[in-house]
Amino acid sequence: MTKLPPLSRDPAIRRFVRTSLVVLAGLAGSAAAEEALTRIADIRSLPRERATEALPVRVRGVVTWRGNFDNFTVQDDSAGIWVDLVGARRRGLWRGGSSVLRRLREGMEVEIAGRSDPGGYAPLVLPETLHILGPKALPPARPMEPARFFSGADDCQRIEVRGVVQGVYPAASGVTLVMNANPGRFIAQVAGPVVENPESLVDAEVLLRGVAATHFNTRGELTVSRVLASVPGDLRVERPPPAPDAVPRVTLDRLLPFRADPVGPHRVRVEGTVTYALPGGFFYLQEGDSAVRVETSSPVELKPGDRVEAAGFVEISRLIGTLSDATVRQMGTGTLPEPVAISPGEILALNKTAVETAQVAIPHDYDGHLIRCRARLLAVQSESEDGGPRALTLEQAGEAGQGTLVFRALLHHGRAGDLESLRPGSDLEVTGLVQLDYAPNDLIPRISRTVPASLDLILRHAEDVVVLREPPWWTARHLAAVLAAVLLALGGALAWNLQLKRQVRRKTVQLAGEMRARRDAAVEFQATLRERTRLAANLHDTLLQTMSGLGFQIEACEAEAADPREKNKAPGHLEVARRMLNHALDELRNSVWALRSLPLNGMALPEALDAVVQRLGAGRETRIEVRSERDLSRVPDFIAGNILLVVQEALHNALRHGDPRSVEIGIRLLEDPARISLTIRDDGSGFTPGSQAGVVQGHFGLQGMRERLERLDGTLRVQSAPGQGTTIHAEAPLRNYDREMAERPIDGGQGRE
C-alpha cells in the first residue's frame, strides 16, 4: 500500500492555504473598511482628515431641531450631530424623496444612511436616505455649562440655559434674541411658533431649551455661540421684565464702577442732554462732565438739545461703557454744553498719564465730549459707495512739546457738499464730539488697562468746520503739477512729431504703390484691348471658317443621303465634320482665355446686370432676383465689365449644374476704403469645393472668375456643400482707371464679320 505525504508538507497545498488566507484577510479588511459608523459620538470624534474621506454612516436618533432649508439635527444616546441635506443635494448624494421631508418634525425617530463630512466647524452627516421610524420623546436638555457651551464642545447637543433677553430682532422664520447668561452673551434663534409677542421679552429672565450651535469663520474657528429653538414650549418666561419705573437709575459716570456686590445683566436708566444723534444708529448724552454713547434702533427723532431718558444694557465692546439696545423717552429740552477748547494730542496725553499713574483720567477721558480745536487739512475723502461717513484727514497744528498727530473728522449725515470745496493745506477750526478708539497692538495692554490708540471727531454738520487760512496757491505740489504738465506737453509734441513722420513715410509708400498699380493697370488694359482685337480676328479667320466648312460637310451628307448612289460617301463626310467640330471646340476654349471684360454698350451697371439675367434666365422657371445698393454710376467701366463677366459665369454655372429654384444677386458699394462687393447665392444642389472639374478637364469657369478678381486686386470666395446651395462672394477696390483708356475703340475691330 502506497503511503501519501502529509498535507502540511505538500508545497502546492501550502501555497493554496497561504493564498486563501491572504484573500480572506483582504475581504475581511474591505468589509471592515466599509462598515458604517452607527454612533454619533464616533462620527463627531473623527479627525478632520478622516471625516473628509466620506466614510459610510448609518445612525438612528431623534430629530431635535428642524431648519428652514431642510437641514436638521439628530441626537442619539451618545451625542448630537448636524444633518446637511442641502450639501448632500449639492453633491448628488441625496436619493430620498420630498414627501418624507414634508413629514419630518422634531420628536421623530429617524434612521439615516449617508456619508461623513468635516463640515465648516464640526463633523456632520451628508444623508443619502432617510426613514421615519415613528414619534419618540426628545432627549432631556442638559443644563448649560459655560465652559462647554462657550467653547463649542456642546455643538448640536440639546441644552437648557437661563438668561436675560437683552435684544430682540426679526428674522426670516421667527426672531433672534440677544441673551446674557450672566456671564456670557450669546444668540438664540427662535422659530415663530415658539414665542409670542417677542418685544415683551426684553429684560425678562427666561428659560430656553434648544440645540447648541455656533457661528464660525472661514478658518473653522468659533466666533459666536448660539442656541437653536424650534419646539413650542421650549421658551418660558421665569421673571417678566421690570416695570419702567423699577429700572434702576444711574448717573452717566456710574455705568460700570466698582461695586462690592455683583450686578446682574438687567437694564439701567440714564438721563442727559443730547449732543449728537445719528437716526437709527446712536446718540450721545452729556450731563455735567460725563458723556455716554447710547445705541438704539428706536424711531424717536432726536436733535441736539433734547432732554431724554434712556434705558438699556451696559456693554463694553468699545472698551468704554456704552448703553446698547436702549429705549428712549423725551423729557423736554436742556442746555447744550459749550465746546471745550482742547487738542486731540492733549486728550491722548492725559489718558496716557492716567494709565501710567493707575488713576482715573482728570478731569475725564473726553469720550463723547464736544471739543473745539485747530488743525491743518491733509485730504478730503471722496463719497464712499457703501454709504459710510465723509472723512477729513487732519493734522494737529504743531505746539510746544507736542509732536504731529493725524486724526479724522467724520460727517455721518447732512450736507457734505461744503466739505468738497476744502483745499488740502488749509488751516481749520473744527468742532466735534470725541470718539476714542482703543486698539492696542500687543497682548498685555489688551487684557489689562488700555490707552486710546487714536481719536476721531464726529461732526454734527458741515458748519462745524471753519476755514481760518487758505493754503498758498504756489505750493510744492502745484509746482510739481505744472512741471508734470510741461513735461507731458513736451512729450506729447515729440510723440506727435514722430507720429507725423511715420504717417508721411506710410503715405509716401502708399502713394508709390498706388502709382505703380495705376501704371500696371493701364499697361494691362492696353494689352487687353490688343488681345481682344487679336481674338476677334482669330475668331473670324479660324473658328468662323471652320464652322462654315462644318456646315458644308453637313449639307454634303444631306445631298448624298438623298441619292442612293452616293450613299457610301456619307460616312466620310461625317468623319470630316467630326474632326472639324473638335477643332472648333479647341479653338473656342483657347479663345475663352483671351476674354477679360464684357462691354456695357452704353448701359449703366444695373441695366447691364438685368440684361445678362434676362438673357441667361429666358425660358427657365428659376426665379432670379437682383438687388443693388447705393449709386453704382461711379463704378469704372473696366471694373463693371469684369463684374458682369463674373455674374454671367456664376449664373451660368448655377443654372446649368445646380438646378436651383431661386438665385439672388446682390451688389453694393463699400466705404473706407472704397470697393465693390458682389454676392451670388443659389439654393441648388451645391457641391464640395475642390471636387469640381477644372482647367485640366477643360472647365475654366471658377478659375476665370478668380483670375479676373485677382487682376483687379480683389478676392473671390466660394461657399458650398452638397444639398445646401452655393454662395459666391467677390470684392474689388474701386480704382480710377483713365476714362479715355477704358473707352478707347479697339483698332481693327470695326466692320469685321
Side-chain angles (χ1 to χ4, degrees):
M1 183 175 182
T2 305
K3 185 178 181 179
L4 297 175
L7 294 178
S8 59
R9 296 180 182 179
D10 191 334
I13 294 177
R14 288 202 300 269
R15 286 196 299 271
F16 174 76
V17 171
R18 283 198 299 268
T19 304
S20 300
L21 291 176
V22 171
V23 171
L24 291 175
L27 293 175
S30 300
E34 289 298 319
E35 184 177 354
L37 298 171
T38 58
R39 294 179 71 252
I40 292 178
D42 294 339
I43 303 173
R44 286 174 54 87
S45 61
L46 287 173
R48 189 171 187 83
E49 295 75 16
R50 286 285 290 160
T52 307
E53 297 176 4
L55 302 176
V57 300
R58 183 177 294 275
V59 297
R60 177 180 294 188
V62 180
V63 176
T64 53
W65 172 81
R66 181 79 162 86
N68 291 330
F69 301 101
D70 289 339
N71 291 332
F72 55 95
T73 57
V74 171
Q75 186 170 332
D76 64 7
D77 295 337
S78 64
I81 200 165
W82 189 276
V83 182
D84 185 8
L85 185 56
V86 175
R89 283 173 171 161
R90 185 169 56 249
R91 302 185 192 186
L93 295 176
W94 173 249
R95 302 194 301 271
S98 58
S99 60
V100 67
L101 298 176
R102 287 194 296 268
R103 295 187 292 116
L104 190 64
R105 296 290 183 273
E106 299 87 344
M108 288 184 173
E109 186 179 19
V110 296
E111 184 177 69
I112 301 171
R115 297 285 172 174
S116 67
D117 187 84
Y121 178 67
L124 51 82
V125 172
L126 297 174
E128 296 175 348
T129 61
L130 182 149
H131 298 284
I132 298 177
L133 305 179
K136 189 174 182 180
L138 289 169
R142 187 172 60 206
M144 184 265 281
E145 299 178 21
R148 292 182 57 84
F149 176 67
F150 290 108
S151 66
D154 281 338
D155 184 64
C156 295
Q157 310 292 315
R158 186 166 165 80
I159 65 170
E160 176 182 274
V161 58
R162 285 179 167 82
V164 174
V165 178
Q166 294 188 336
V168 177
Y169 301 93
S173 60
V175 293
T176 297
L177 306 181
V178 178
M179 296 185 61
N180 192 321
N182 195 26
R185 301 182 88 198
F186 64 95
I187 300 297
Q189 292 178 305
V190 183
V194 179
V195 58
E196 296 180 0
N197 192 14
E199 298 295 337
S200 64
L201 296 177
V202 177
D203 209 14
E205 296 181 13
V206 301
L207 173 66
L208 178 67
R209 296 186 182 93
V211 176
T214 58
H215 282 300
F216 46 88
N217 59 23
T218 55
R219 299 176 63 175
E221 299 168 337
L222 183 148
T223 57
V224 177
S225 296
R226 56 180 178 151
V227 174
L228 309 176
S230 59
V231 179
D234 272 354
L235 178 68
R236 186 177 73 228
V237 177
E238 294 195 324
R239 180 177 295 177
D245 295 340
V247 176
R249 185 188 299 272
V250 299
T251 58
L252 296 183
D253 61 345
R254 303 294 291 175
L255 289 183
L256 288 173
F258 166 75
R259 293 182 176 91
D261 298 321
V263 178
H266 288 279
R267 285 192 289 198
V268 297
R269 282 189 297 165
V270 297
E271 184 179 328
T273 301
V274 176
T275 55
Y276 173 81
L278 178 63
F282 63 88
F283 61 91
Y284 278 93
L285 289 180
Q286 187 164 342
E287 184 76 0
D289 290 337
S290 300
V292 165
R293 175 172 169 143
V294 181
E295 297 176 347
T296 180
S297 57
S298 172
V300 177
E301 295 185 6
L302 301 175
K303 60 182 182 299
D306 285 344
R307 189 76 180 171
V308 302
E309 179 185 75
F313 301 94
V314 180
E315 57 97 11
I316 199 73
S317 61
R318 296 177 54 238
L319 300 184
I320 301 176
T322 302
L323 215 60
S324 66
D325 294 288
T327 59
V328 181
R329 183 171 66 91
Q330 290 179 307
M331 302 173 59
T333 58
T335 303
L336 275 174
E338 290 294 326
V340 179
I342 187 172
S343 69
E346 292 174 323
I347 294 174
L348 294 178
L350 65 88
N351 278 277
K352 182 178 180 182
T353 301
V355 171
E356 293 172 349
T357 60
Q359 296 294 323
V360 174
I362 299 175
H364 32 69
D365 66 348
Y366 282 98
D367 184 75
H369 285 247
L370 194 63
I371 71 166
R372 178 179 292 123
C373 64
R374 293 189 175 188
R376 179 172 293 110
L377 180 63
L378 298 181
V380 179
Q381 175 189 341
S382 300
E383 185 176 0
S384 59
E385 295 182 357
D386 58 0
R390 187 68 57 87
L392 303 179
T393 302
L394 304 170
E395 180 184 38
Q396 179 182 275
E399 298 180 10
Q402 295 184 0
T404 300
L405 174 67
V406 177
F407 62 100
R408 297 184 305 167
L410 306 176
L411 182 64
H412 286 275
H413 69 103
R415 191 175 67 254
D418 295 343
L419 301 182
E420 295 288 348
S421 60
L422 297 176
R423 293 168 53 191
S426 301
D427 288 339
L428 308 176
E429 183 180 72
V430 183
T431 302
L433 283 91
V434 176
Q435 180 176 272
L436 296 178
D437 181 18
Y438 288 84
N441 296 321
D442 53 335
L443 177 62
I444 300 303
R446 185 183 294 275
I447 62 176
S448 62
R449 305 183 73 237
T450 56
V451 179
S454 62
L455 177 149
D456 292 333
L457 290 184
I458 299 178
L459 303 176
R460 298 168 297 177
H461 38 69
E463 289 74 13
D464 276 339
V465 179
V466 178
V467 178
L468 300 178
R469 185 180 64 86
E470 293 280 356
W473 188 90
W474 194 254
T475 62
R477 183 176 179 180
H478 289 162
L479 178 60
V482 171
L483 290 177
V486 171
L487 292 176
L488 184 62
L490 181 60
L494 292 176
W496 179 80
N497 188 27
L498 293 175
Q499 182 67 17
L500 184 61
K501 289 182 178 179
R502 285 196 293 268
Q503 288 183 358
V504 169
R505 287 197 297 269
R506 186 168 59 252
K507 289 294 184 182
T508 301
V509 173
Q510 183 179 355
L511 182 60
E514 186 72 21
M515 293 177 65
R516 285 195 299 271
R518 289 175 61 105
R519 183 181 66 249
D520 294 344
V523 171
E524 184 179 5
F525 190 71
Q526 290 290 348
T528 300
L529 292 178
R530 290 194 297 271
E531 184 65 12
R532 290 179 63 181
T533 302
R534 184 190 67 79
L535 287 173
N538 185 55
L539 289 173
H540 179 272
D541 295 338
T542 59
L543 184 59
L544 184 60
Q545 293 179 5
T546 302
M547 298 300 289
S548 299
L550 182 61
F552 174 77
Q553 295 295 330
I554 292 173
E555 291 176 358
C557 288
E558 292 176 348
E560 291 172 354
D563 189 352
R565 294 173 300 176
E566 301 294 331
K567 186 176 182 179
N568 294 331
K569 296 181 180 181
H573 291 294
L574 289 176
E575 180 62 26
V576 173
R578 184 180 296 108
R579 288 197 301 270
M580 293 180 67
L581 180 59
N582 290 335
H583 179 69
L585 289 174
D586 291 338
E587 289 182 341
L588 186 58
R589 288 192 183 100
N590 293 332
S591 300
V592 166
W593 287 97
L595 299 177
R596 286 298 183 264
S597 180
L598 189 68
L600 299 181
N601 296 326
M603 293 186 294
L605 181 55
E607 298 173 352
L609 276 173
D610 291 336
V612 170
V613 168
Q614 292 176 4
R615 177 169 54 84
L616 294 179
R620 297 179 181 270
E621 295 181 358
T622 303
R623 181 180 61 86
I624 305 175
E625 183 179 3
V626 179
R627 297 178 180 177
S628 60
E629 297 180 11
R630 308 183 64 173
D631 184 13
L632 301 177
S633 60
R634 60 189 182 98
V635 179
D637 286 354
F638 179 69
I639 295 177
N642 280 278
I643 291 297
L644 285 176
L645 284 174
V646 172
V647 172
Q648 177 177 278
E649 183 63 29
L651 186 57
H652 177 266
N653 289 343
L655 296 175
R656 181 178 180 183
H657 302 292
D659 192 24
R661 293 188 302 272
S662 63
V663 179
E664 295 179 3
I665 302 172
I667 186 168
R668 58 177 179 150
L669 297 182
L670 305 176
E671 299 292 342
D672 193 26
R675 58 193 187 278
I676 188 169
S677 174
L678 173 67
T679 301
I680 303 171
R681 182 181 293 107
D682 69 74
D683 58 357
S685 58
F687 64 96
T688 301
S691 64
Q692 74 277 7
V695 176
V696 176
Q697 293 81 16
H699 296 273
F700 302 91
L702 286 178
Q703 181 69 20
M705 288 190 289
R706 185 169 284 108
E707 286 187 357
R708 291 185 193 283
L709 268 300
E710 288 177 356
R711 294 176 69 252
L712 296 176
D713 287 338
T715 58
L716 181 79
R717 291 184 295 111
V718 179
Q719 297 176 336
S720 184
Q724 299 183 13
T726 302
T727 302
I728 295 177
H729 300 278
E731 279 191 18
L734 294 180
R735 290 183 174 173
N736 295 322
Y737 297 94
D738 294 339
R739 185 176 300 276
E740 63 274 16
M741 184 180 300
E743 298 177 353
R744 182 176 301 169
I746 302 175
D747 297 338
Q750 302 294 331
R752 303 188 66 137
E753 299 178 356

